[in-house]
Amino acid sequence: MKKIAIYFISTVLSVQSIAQSVKSYSTAQAHSHNDYERARPFDDAYEQQFGSIEADIFLVNDTLFVAHNLKDIKPQRTFTTLYLLPILQKAEQNGGHIYPQDNVPLQLLVDLKTEGEPTLAALMRVLEPHRKLFAPTGSVKVVVSGDVPDASQFERYPDFIYFDGRPENVYTPAQMAHIGLISQAFQKYSKWNGEGPLLEKDRKKIQKMINDVHDLGKKVRIWATPDNINAWKTMMALGVDYINTDKVRELGDYLRTAPR
């Protein structure tokens, strides 16, 4: 009986220790994956005060369109219309800050779907007149993903453009200064479907990657993760910095109401 009591106490303490080590999450750590596919692009995630929003862009005839595939492009769905103008409007309403709270930033993850160099050049042209709104001085951090330039070219770009890195790549300190986020596909580590517990061997692989990235002082996003409460809780326990979701309202509700 005494051994059982000791085991029970040690187990409770262990569980409490793990719970205390998990940081508190809010919608500031939520990422709206392929946000433009929602009925209300930008607005849904903004109203939930998400910390990160993703838009895929295509350069066609000098205009940046937002879509998942080239065939999905529609004339009215431009990057400027769906994202830049709403961001500028919110910043004007909030005294130059993206959110009413001046210490709450927004990460805008822009995925280059057409040839990287000209698409990035077009993106910089539309952002340049408003560069004070963008990090490092402003509250919106633009992180470029997709067909990004080679890391040796990062220093050619202005300081309001950051890049999405990969955990398997090695960057110099100068290149690392231009990395705004480090991302990887969930399938690189696991085939877990979000039901039941994550396999221990998979958990260890993911945890090592996250720890290594955090040691570099960078934040982690894992894309294509299972998208349910069990998966969200698992990602939070692992310390992922941005919880990837297509269920903006559901994740927002969960993060506001779940016990810390």
Side-chain angles (χ1 to χ4, degrees):
M1 182 66 72
K2 186 175 180 180
K3 288 183 179 179
I4 294 174
I6 292 172
Y7 175 78
F8 175 76
I9 292 169
S10 65
T11 301
V12 170
L13 291 175
S14 175
V15 171
Q16 288 177 339
S17 175
I18 292 170
Q20 289 169 359
S21 68
V22 177
K23 69 178 184 179
S24 178
Y25 277 74
S26 71
T27 54
Q29 285 81 47
H31 173 80
S32 181
H33 172 250
N34 289 352
D35 181 82
Y36 52 88
E37 293 190 324
R38 301 191 61 76
R40 301 172 67 236
F42 180 78
D43 289 331
D44 280 349
Y46 182 85
E47 288 169 7
Q48 298 288 330
Q49 291 209 322
F50 268 34
S52 184
I53 293 176
E54 178 181 350
D56 294 353
I57 62 172
F58 291 79
L59 178 63
V60 180
N61 296 330
D62 295 326
T63 300
L64 293 173
F65 293 94
V66 179
H68 191 58
N69 297 292
L70 199 59
K71 63 181 178 60
D72 297 327
I73 288 176
K74 296 179 181 178
Q76 70 276 18
R77 293 178 65 83
T78 68
F79 174 76
T80 296
T81 300
L82 295 187
Y83 291 96
L84 182 57
L85 289 179
I87 285 172
L88 295 176
Q89 180 186 38
K90 297 301 182 185
E92 184 177 3
Q93 291 173 358
N94 298 322
H97 304 287
I98 185 63
Y99 283 117
Q101 309 93 321
D102 59 12
N103 63 339
V104 178
L106 173 67
Q107 174 178 268
L108 182 61
L109 184 66
V110 182
D111 195 334
L112 309 180
K113 291 298 187 181
T114 41
E115 185 183 352
E117 189 170 343
T119 308
L120 182 51
L123 177 65
M124 289 190 296
R125 282 197 296 273
V126 301
L127 297 181
E128 173 67 37
H130 318 286
R131 64 182 300 160
K132 288 184 179 179
L133 175 59
F134 303 110
T137 56
S139 59
V140 178
K141 187 173 190 176
V142 177
V143 178
V144 175
S145 189
D147 191 16
V148 301
D150 186 82
S152 62
Q153 303 299 308
F154 284 176
E155 294 181 70
R156 293 175 45 205
Y157 293 90
D159 62 0
F160 65 88
I161 295 292
Y162 292 86
F163 296 98
D164 185 19
R166 296 290 176 264
E168 64 271 19
N169 293 350
V170 177
Y171 300 99
T172 67
Q175 292 165 358
M176 190 61 74
H178 295 268
I179 295 288
L181 178 71
I182 292 183
S183 305
Q184 188 50 274
F186 182 71
Q187 288 70 27
K188 187 91 171 177
Y189 309 101
S190 177
K191 295 181 180 179
W192 183 56
N193 65 1
E195 301 298 327
L198 178 66
L199 290 177
E200 182 64 15
K201 65 181 181 67
D202 295 348
R203 188 195 67 79
K204 287 181 177 178
K205 287 187 291 187
I206 298 171
Q207 191 69 75
K208 182 182 184 305
M209 182 274 286
I210 292 170
N211 291 345
D212 289 346
V213 171
H214 286 170
D215 287 344
L216 296 172
K218 299 300 177 180
K219 292 185 176 182
V220 175
R221 179 182 75 99
I222 302 177
W223 76 82
T225 53
D227 204 3
N228 58 32
I229 289 177
N230 190 41
W232 302 336
K233 289 167 64 176
T234 300
M235 292 301 110
M236 289 189 283
L238 287 165
V240 172
D241 296 286
Y242 289 105
I243 307 301
N244 198 74
T245 192
D246 291 310
K247 301 175 180 178
V248 168
R249 186 168 298 280
E250 294 91 332
L251 178 56
D253 290 343
Y254 173 75
L255 290 173
R256 279 190 299 274
T257 59
R260 293 291 175 257

